[in-house]
Structures are given as C-alpha cells and as structure tokens.
Amino acid sequence: MSLPIRSFLFIPGDSEKKLGKVDGVAADAFIFDLEDAVAVARKPIAREMVPAFIKERPKGTRKSQFWVRVNPLDTPWTLEDLAAIVPAAPDGIMLPKVNGPEDVAQVSYYLSALEAASGIGRGAIKILPVATETAVSPFHLGDYATAKLERLYGLTWGAEDLSSAIGASGNTNVSGEWTHTYKMVRSLCLLGAHAAGGEAVDTLYVDFRDPDGLRASCKAARAEGFSGRVAIHPAQVDIINESFSPSPEEVDFARRVVDLFAANPDAGTLGLDGKMLDIPHLKQAQRTLAMHEARHG
Ligand code: COA
Ligand code: MG
C-alpha cells in the first residue's frame, strides 16, 4: 500500500538556516518554496540553493520526500524553476495558482521533456496543484476526475490567494471559522481530489503557536477525508503526523470489525457494541488496518 503523505512542511528555499533543520524534523515531505516565501530579488538564489540541497540527499538516502513549490504559470519564472530543479530529481512539484487541469497538463509536458533531458524516469515527479487560488479554479475542481493526469498526487487548496484574487478583505468570521466561500472550495477540493483518485491535502493552520487548535482541526479534517496537511513550522509536524494516523482505539476497533466479519463470512450486516455494521464499515476498517500495518509492520 502506498501511504499518503501526512505532513508537508514548507521551507523558504532561500533560507540556509531553515533548510538546515531538515534532518531533524520528521515531516513525511518537505516543500522547498521558490514562490511567495521568497522575495523577487532572492528567487535566483533560491533556484540555485534548492537543487543543490536536494542533490546532497539523493533519492534512496532521504527519510522524507522532497517537493518544490515553483512559481505559477502567470509569472515569467515557472520554466526556469523547473529547468533548475528537475535534474535534482525531487519527488514532486507543488504548482500554485492553477486555473484547472490544463495548467497541470502543461507543467506535466514540461516535466516529461526535462525528465528525458536529465535521464530521470518519465513520470517520476508527481504534481500537487494548489487548486483553489484563482477565481475560476473552483469551477474546475470536478474536471480533474476525467483529465487523465498521471502525475497527479491529489489536490490541495489555499484561502489567502483566493481572497486576494476576489478582492476580499478577509476569509474568516468573528469566531475564526472559514466563511462560506472558503468552506465551499475546501469541500469541492476534497471531493475533486477523491473523484480524481488522489489524496486531499488540507491547507495550512496559520497559528503555529496553537498546538491544541491544530490537533483538533487536523482530526476533524481527517474525519472528513483529508489524508494530510501542509505545515509552516516544525512544531506542527508531529501533531499533523499523529492526527492523520489511525489512533490506537481506531486500530483496535478496526481489528474487531475485521475479525467479526471474518467469523461471519455470509453476513452483509452485523451488530457490534449496539451499532450496525455493513460492508462500507468493513472496507473502512480494512483501510485503517492496512495504513497502520504499513507504517508499523
Ligand atoms: N522550516 C524549517 N525551520 C523552521 C521553519 C520552517 N518552516 N520555521 C521555523 N523554523 C526554525 C527557525 O529557524 C527557528 O530556528 P532556531 O531555533 O535555530 O532559531 C526555529 O524553527 C523556531 O522558529 P520560530 O522562532 O518559532 O519561528 P520564526 O519566527 O523563526 O519563523 C515563520 C516563523 C512563519 C517565518 C517560519 O515558521 C516560516 O518561515 N515558515 C514557512 C513559511 C513558508 O514557507 N510559507 C510559504 C507557504 S505559505
Ligand atoms: Mg500563496
């Protein structure tokens, strides 16, 4: 079973100090940023530093996946970014501000050419689009399902750039919850990712000094069908990893469900602890156990 990436930690691609933290942080993936965390004047430096850093830890020697967020297609830098980083063989590219699957297809063609030029297996580099950052993008979230994008890892979403794109002065209400538009695009992202057979990755939790809020928010996201989340600070990583893993209670319960169905091979529906179970519950339990066993043997 290929395991979903639980935590994607962003690191500004021009920060030697933050890049230096990689070996001590247990993120499932790092995203070295060439986009908005890097000032325009520093982009050429980041474009050199990131591939050099990745090359020092080639595939097979690294504990975590290495992804790179490139600049979006409406800037002059996307091709330069891709040409610089593909030879270092990152595991994936995060593509911000996409309008829809055509943008992902375009970057996929670029990657195919650059992979060939670098002697990297075609399709080795995955793509995770940030699929809700432009005003038109939410209208295409269902189109990934039929777009046949073999590199697509899944979909993630972002609120800040969408607010800016639509001239909104905010995206949360007085209680700090997403307002309607952002709840809607988040749900469409979740559904679109699964419709495309990929993973749904939740957006960042901006308050990096609020571990309890982060944990509650991640648990809720996992219960809804997200399999991982973006992190912005190392302190968020362990909480995200734990929250997107089955808890010991869930694993125990899943084992009991699987055992009960195994003991009653002709039953389509059974009772356990006073609750009805049927085939979707069995499938869910099998998924939970498979995920647990893949990480813990
Ligand atoms: N990756 C690696 N190391 C990080 C880090 C990150 N994303 N964020 C913080 N650190 C390091 C700091 O350098 C600091 O190291 P030190 O103890 O050796 O001084 C340590 O963790 C503690 O950091 P802290 O002081 O709590 O935070 P900060 O004020 O230095 O940084 C941010 C706060 C938000 C600027 C920083 O977390 C960050 O750069 N996050 C990523 C931003 C990003 O890439 N955004 C793009 C996507 S939205
Ligand atoms: Mg952004």
Side-chain angles (χ1 to χ4, degrees), residues 58-73:
K59 259 189 181 168
T61 71
R62 49 201 194 223
K63 293 181 295 180
S64 307
Q65 292 197 20
F66 286 173
W67 288 59
V68 180
R69 183 168 73 171
V70 297
N71 287 284
L73 288 166

Side-chain angles (χ1 to χ4, degrees), residues 119-203:
I120 296 169
R122 179 152 171 187
I125 302 175
K126 302 290 167 224
I127 301 180
L128 176 61
V130 192
T132 68
E133 290 187 316
T134 70
V136 76
S137 61
F139 297 98
H140 295 297
L141 287 164
D143 298 345
Y144 291 92
T146 50
K148 298 195 172 70
L149 298 166
E150 285 171 10
R151 298 176 188 274
L152 193 73
Y153 170 80
L155 299 178
T156 190
W157 73 287
E160 300 309 323
D161 288 281
L162 180 58
S163 321
S164 146
I166 64 174
S169 58
N171 45 39
T172 51
N173 65 18
V174 283
S175 337
E177 287 165 1
W178 298 118
T179 50
H180 178 74
T181 302
Y182 304 90
K183 281 187 181 158
M184 178 186 70
V185 300
R186 179 173 178 272
S187 294
L188 289 172
C189 170
L190 169 68
L191 294 166
H194 286 283
E199 302 292 339
V201 180
D202 206 358
T203 198

Side-chain angles (χ1 to χ4, degrees), residues 28-87:
D28 286 348
F30 292 91
I31 307 176
F32 306 123
D33 193 21
L34 304 179
E35 199 215 4
D36 286 346
V38 180
V40 170
R42 301 270 301 167
K43 286 192 190 286
I45 298 168
R47 202 180 285 129
E48 281 178 22
M49 282 175 65
V50 168
F53 184 87
I54 298 176
K55 277 182 185 158
E56 283 167 18
R57 294 162 180 76
K59 259 189 181 168
T61 71
R62 49 201 194 223
K63 293 181 295 180
S64 307
Q65 292 197 20
F66 286 173
W67 288 59
V68 180
R69 183 168 73 171
V70 297
N71 287 284
L73 288 166
D74 64 353
T75 68
W77 302 304
T78 321
L79 270 172
E80 277 175 74
D81 289 348
L82 293 170
I85 61 177
V86 168

